[in-house]
Amino acid sequence: MDLNTRWFKDKVLEKTKKSLESKGYDVYIVKDKSEAKKKVISLIEAKSTVGVGGSQTLLQCDILNSLREGDYNFLDRYKEGLTPSEVKEVHKEAFFSDYYLTSSNAITESGELVNLDGLGNRVAAMIYGPKKVIVVVGENKIVRDIDSAYERVRKYVAPINCKRLNMDNPCVKVSECVNCSSENRICNHLVVTFRQNTKGRGIVVLVKEEIGY
Protein backbone atom coordinates (compact mmCIF):
# COMPACT_ATOMS: atom_id res chain seq x y z
CA MET A 1 0.00 0.00 0.00
CA ASP A 2 1.42 3.39 -0.96
CA LEU A 3 1.86 6.13 1.64
CA ASN A 4 -1.00 8.29 0.36
CA THR A 5 -3.51 5.46 0.59
CA ARG A 6 -2.23 4.57 4.06
CA TRP A 7 -2.60 8.21 5.10
CA PHE A 8 -6.22 8.25 3.93
CA LYS A 9 -7.10 4.96 5.64
CA ASP A 10 -5.47 6.14 8.88
CA LYS A 11 -7.62 9.27 8.81
CA VAL A 12 -10.74 7.13 8.44
CA LEU A 13 -9.62 4.89 11.32
CA GLU A 14 -9.03 7.89 13.59
CA LYS A 15 -12.40 9.39 12.69
CA THR A 16 -14.13 6.08 13.40
CA LYS A 17 -12.25 5.69 16.69
CA LYS A 18 -13.38 9.12 17.89
CA SER A 19 -16.97 8.38 16.87
CA LEU A 20 -17.00 5.06 18.72
CA GLU A 21 -15.45 6.64 21.83
CA SER A 22 -18.16 9.32 21.82
CA LYS A 23 -20.69 6.48 21.88
CA GLY A 24 -19.31 4.73 24.95
CA TYR A 25 -16.70 2.32 23.56
CA ASP A 26 -13.08 1.83 24.52
CA VAL A 27 -11.21 1.77 21.21
CA TYR A 28 -7.73 0.63 20.16
CA ILE A 29 -6.09 0.85 16.75
CA VAL A 30 -3.47 -1.83 16.00
CA LYS A 31 -1.26 -2.34 12.96
CA ASP A 32 -1.94 -5.98 12.07
CA LYS A 33 -3.44 -9.33 13.03
CA SER A 34 -0.57 -10.19 15.36
CA GLU A 35 -1.01 -6.98 17.34
CA ALA A 36 -4.77 -7.54 17.40
CA LYS A 37 -4.27 -10.91 19.05
CA LYS A 38 -1.87 -9.47 21.63
CA LYS A 39 -4.22 -6.60 22.44
CA VAL A 40 -7.28 -8.82 22.80
CA ILE A 41 -5.52 -11.33 25.05
CA SER A 42 -4.12 -8.48 27.19
CA LEU A 43 -7.67 -7.28 27.84
CA ILE A 44 -8.92 -10.62 29.21
CA GLU A 45 -8.38 -11.49 32.86
CA ALA A 46 -7.05 -14.96 33.73
CA LYS A 47 -9.64 -17.50 34.94
CA SER A 48 -12.39 -15.63 33.07
CA THR A 49 -15.14 -17.36 31.13
CA VAL A 50 -14.82 -16.43 27.48
CA GLY A 51 -17.36 -16.96 24.71
CA VAL A 52 -17.08 -16.18 21.01
CA GLY A 53 -19.39 -15.52 18.12
CA GLY A 54 -18.87 -17.09 14.74
CA SER A 55 -16.06 -15.02 13.23
CA GLN A 56 -13.54 -15.46 10.45
CA THR A 57 -11.76 -12.42 11.87
CA LEU A 58 -11.04 -14.17 15.18
CA LEU A 59 -9.86 -17.26 13.31
CA GLN A 60 -7.57 -15.29 11.01
CA CYS A 61 -6.04 -13.45 13.99
CA ASP A 62 -5.38 -16.82 15.68
CA ILE A 63 -7.15 -15.58 18.80
CA LEU A 64 -9.03 -18.83 19.40
CA ASN A 65 -5.84 -20.87 19.79
CA SER A 66 -4.58 -18.39 22.37
CA LEU A 67 -7.82 -18.86 24.31
CA ARG A 68 -7.49 -22.65 24.11
CA GLU A 69 -3.93 -22.55 25.37
CA GLY A 70 -4.42 -19.86 28.04
CA ASP A 71 -5.73 -19.85 31.59
CA TYR A 72 -9.37 -19.31 30.67
CA ASN A 73 -12.67 -21.13 30.78
CA PHE A 74 -13.06 -20.99 27.02
CA LEU A 75 -16.49 -21.90 25.69
CA ASP A 76 -15.20 -23.30 22.41
CA ARG A 77 -18.02 -23.50 19.89
CA TYR A 78 -15.50 -24.89 17.36
CA LYS A 79 -14.32 -27.79 19.51
CA GLU A 80 -14.00 -30.95 17.46
CA GLY A 81 -16.71 -33.54 18.00
CA LEU A 82 -19.43 -31.26 19.36
CA THR A 83 -22.95 -32.27 18.36
CA PRO A 84 -25.43 -29.64 17.16
CA SER A 85 -27.21 -29.74 20.52
CA GLU A 86 -23.89 -29.26 22.33
CA VAL A 87 -23.04 -26.28 20.13
CA LYS A 88 -26.42 -24.81 21.03
CA GLU A 89 -25.60 -25.20 24.72
CA VAL A 90 -22.28 -23.44 24.20
CA HIS A 91 -24.17 -20.55 22.59
CA LYS A 92 -26.38 -20.31 25.67
CA GLU A 93 -23.46 -20.48 28.10
CA ALA A 94 -21.65 -17.74 26.19
CA PHE A 95 -24.54 -15.40 26.93
CA PHE A 96 -23.42 -15.39 30.58
CA SER A 97 -19.67 -15.16 29.93
CA ASP A 98 -17.28 -12.62 31.39
CA TYR A 99 -15.97 -11.75 27.93
CA TYR A 100 -17.61 -12.23 24.55
CA LEU A 101 -15.39 -11.92 21.47
CA THR A 102 -16.70 -11.31 17.99
CA SER A 103 -16.36 -9.08 14.95
CA SER A 104 -18.84 -6.74 13.28
CA ASN A 105 -20.12 -7.06 9.74
CA ALA A 106 -19.75 -3.30 9.32
CA ILE A 107 -18.90 -0.20 11.36
CA THR A 108 -19.82 3.26 10.13
CA GLU A 109 -17.49 6.21 10.37
CA SER A 110 -20.04 7.77 12.74
CA GLY A 111 -19.76 4.82 15.14
CA GLU A 112 -22.68 2.48 14.46
CA LEU A 113 -22.17 -1.29 14.46
CA VAL A 114 -24.26 -3.12 11.86
CA ASN A 115 -24.63 -6.89 12.06
CA LEU A 116 -26.57 -9.56 10.19
CA ASP A 117 -27.18 -12.89 11.92
CA GLY A 118 -28.76 -16.23 11.18
CA LEU A 119 -29.68 -17.64 14.60
CA GLY A 120 -29.31 -14.36 16.47
CA ASN A 121 -27.05 -15.70 19.25
CA ARG A 122 -24.17 -13.43 18.24
CA VAL A 123 -26.12 -10.18 18.02
CA ALA A 124 -28.04 -11.04 21.20
CA ALA A 125 -24.79 -11.42 23.15
CA MET A 126 -23.40 -8.22 21.67
CA ILE A 127 -26.46 -6.36 22.92
CA TYR A 128 -26.96 -7.88 26.37
CA GLY A 129 -25.60 -10.65 28.57
CA PRO A 130 -21.81 -10.94 28.72
CA LYS A 131 -20.03 -8.54 31.07
CA LYS A 132 -17.67 -7.29 28.37
CA VAL A 133 -17.79 -7.51 24.58
CA ILE A 134 -14.61 -7.22 22.51
CA VAL A 135 -15.19 -6.53 18.81
CA VAL A 136 -12.24 -7.03 16.44
CA VAL A 137 -12.66 -5.33 13.09
CA GLY A 138 -10.46 -5.03 10.01
CA GLU A 139 -10.36 -1.66 8.26
CA ASN A 140 -12.14 -3.22 5.27
CA LYS A 141 -15.36 -3.27 7.30
CA ILE A 142 -15.48 0.49 7.92
CA VAL A 143 -18.10 2.21 5.76
CA ARG A 144 -19.30 5.79 5.43
CA ASP A 145 -22.87 5.48 6.73
CA ILE A 146 -25.70 3.10 7.65
CA ASP A 147 -26.96 2.83 4.06
CA SER A 148 -23.47 1.72 3.00
CA ALA A 149 -23.43 -0.77 5.89
CA TYR A 150 -26.77 -2.25 4.79
CA GLU A 151 -25.42 -2.56 1.27
CA ARG A 152 -22.29 -4.30 2.56
CA VAL A 153 -24.00 -6.86 4.77
CA ARG A 154 -26.80 -7.73 2.37
CA LYS A 155 -24.89 -7.80 -0.91
CA TYR A 156 -21.45 -8.96 0.23
CA VAL A 157 -21.34 -10.45 3.72
CA ALA A 158 -24.42 -12.67 3.40
CA PRO A 159 -23.59 -14.22 0.01
CA ILE A 160 -19.92 -14.84 0.81
CA ASN A 161 -20.78 -16.48 4.13
CA CYS A 162 -23.38 -18.66 2.44
CA LYS A 163 -20.68 -19.72 -0.01
CA ARG A 164 -18.26 -20.40 2.87
CA LEU A 165 -20.87 -22.54 4.63
CA ASN A 166 -21.77 -24.43 1.42
CA MET A 167 -25.37 -23.24 1.60
CA ASP A 168 -27.44 -23.76 -1.53
CA ASN A 169 -29.19 -20.41 -1.19
CA PRO A 170 -30.18 -18.13 -4.08
CA CYS A 171 -27.56 -15.52 -3.12
CA VAL A 172 -24.80 -18.03 -3.88
CA LYS A 173 -26.10 -18.33 -7.42
CA VAL A 174 -26.44 -14.58 -8.11
CA SER A 175 -23.80 -13.26 -5.65
CA GLU A 176 -26.15 -10.87 -3.85
CA CYS A 177 -29.09 -11.01 -1.46
CA VAL A 178 -32.49 -11.51 -3.07
CA ASN A 179 -34.44 -11.56 0.22
CA CYS A 180 -35.14 -15.27 -0.18
CA SER A 181 -37.37 -17.56 1.86
CA SER A 182 -34.89 -20.43 1.97
CA GLU A 183 -34.96 -22.72 4.99
CA ASN A 184 -31.18 -22.28 5.17
CA ARG A 185 -31.33 -18.48 5.06
CA ILE A 186 -28.58 -17.03 7.26
CA CYS A 187 -29.61 -13.35 7.16
CA ASN A 188 -32.53 -13.31 9.59
CA HIS A 189 -31.63 -10.65 12.17
CA LEU A 190 -30.33 -7.25 11.12
CA VAL A 191 -29.22 -5.23 14.14
CA VAL A 192 -27.86 -1.69 14.36
CA THR A 193 -26.11 -0.76 17.60
CA PHE A 194 -26.09 3.03 17.91
CA ARG A 195 -24.11 3.24 21.16
CA GLN A 196 -22.84 1.26 24.15
CA ASN A 197 -24.71 2.50 27.20
CA THR A 198 -22.84 0.44 29.84
CA LYS A 199 -19.53 2.10 30.61
CA GLY A 200 -16.55 -0.24 30.12
CA ARG A 201 -18.59 -3.02 28.49
CA GLY A 202 -17.89 -2.39 24.82
CA ILE A 203 -14.35 -2.61 23.44
CA VAL A 204 -13.46 -2.24 19.76
CA VAL A 205 -10.09 -3.21 18.29
CA LEU A 206 -9.61 -1.67 14.84
CA VAL A 207 -6.98 -3.37 12.70
CA LYS A 208 -4.99 -1.75 9.90
CA GLU A 209 -5.50 -4.78 7.67
CA GLU A 210 -8.24 -6.41 5.66
CA ILE A 211 -9.54 -9.24 7.83
CA GLY A 212 -12.65 -11.38 7.65
CA TYR A 213 -15.73 -10.72 5.56
Side-chain angles (χ1 to χ4, degrees):
M1 184 182 298
D2 70 79
L3 294 177
N4 297 313
T5 302
R6 185 68 267 163
W7 166 83
F8 182 83
K9 288 181 177 290
D10 285 348
K11 289 294 184 182
V12 171
L13 283 163
E14 288 293 342
K15 178 182 180 180
T16 306
K17 180 178 186 290
K18 290 179 181 178
S19 296
L20 287 164
E21 288 173 338
S22 74
K23 297 190 173 187
Y25 294 92
D26 296 331
V27 185
Y28 303 91
I29 297 176
V30 299
K31 71 176 183 179
D32 55 26
K33 292 187 284 291
S34 177
E35 278 201 6
K37 179 172 71 169
K38 291 177 184 177
K39 173 54 67 176
V40 169
I41 296 304
S42 76
L43 295 169
I44 303 173
E45 293 183 13
K47 311 295 185 184
S48 297
T49 297
V50 184
V52 297
S55 170
Q56 290 299 296
T57 297
L58 297 181
L59 289 168
Q60 290 172 19
C61 290
D62 197 35
I63 291 171
L64 301 188
N65 282 329
S66 293
L67 293 174
R68 291 177 182 123
E69 296 165 2
D71 187 17
Y72 313 106
N73 175 27
F74 177 36
L75 305 174
D76 191 352
R77 56 177 286 158
Y78 296 105
K79 185 177 180 180
E80 188 175 347
L82 289 181
T83 65
S85 62
E86 288 171 332
V87 172
K88 190 173 182 179
E89 286 303 311
V90 171
H91 289 169
K92 291 179 181 178
E93 290 177 41
F95 197 70
F96 301 99
S97 59
D98 299 309
Y99 294 86
Y100 189 80
L101 277 53
T102 186
S103 187
S104 184
N105 297 135
I107 291 184
T108 69
E109 292 180 18
S110 52
E112 292 92 11
L113 277 63
V114 180
N115 285 283
L116 192 63
D117 233 16
L119 297 175
N121 60 292
R122 178 176 65 105
V123 293
M126 293 177 76
I127 294 168
Y128 185 82
K131 293 177 183 177
K132 290 182 180 288
V133 177
I134 301 176
V135 184
V136 185
V137 182
E139 63 185 7
N140 52 305
K141 296 185 177 184
I142 298 175
V143 297
R144 186 165 296 278
D145 51 32
I146 289 181
D147 286 342
S148 300
Y150 288 162
E151 182 85 0
R152 184 179 199 281
V153 299
R154 293 292 297 276
K155 294 192 175 183
Y156 176 73
V157 176
I160 202 168
N161 274 303
C162 276
K163 175 65 175 176
R164 175 177 64 84
L165 296 168
N166 296 314
M167 296 289 190
D168 188 26
N169 289 335
C171 63
V172 176
K173 298 179 175 66
V174 298
S175 74
E176 67 175 2
C177 178
V178 295
N179 197 25
C180 73
S181 298
S182 170
E183 290 184 3
N184 293 321
R185 175 173 168 146
I186 67 168
C187 50
N188 298 316
H189 307 280
L190 181 61
V191 174
V192 180
T193 304
F194 291 95
R195 66 177 295 110
Q196 174 55 246
N197 61 327
T198 303
K199 185 175 177 59
R201 181 176 185 267
I203 302 168
V204 179
V205 178
L206 300 173
V207 190
K208 294 184 180 185
E209 283 190 337
E210 292 196 5
I211 313 172
Y213 307 136

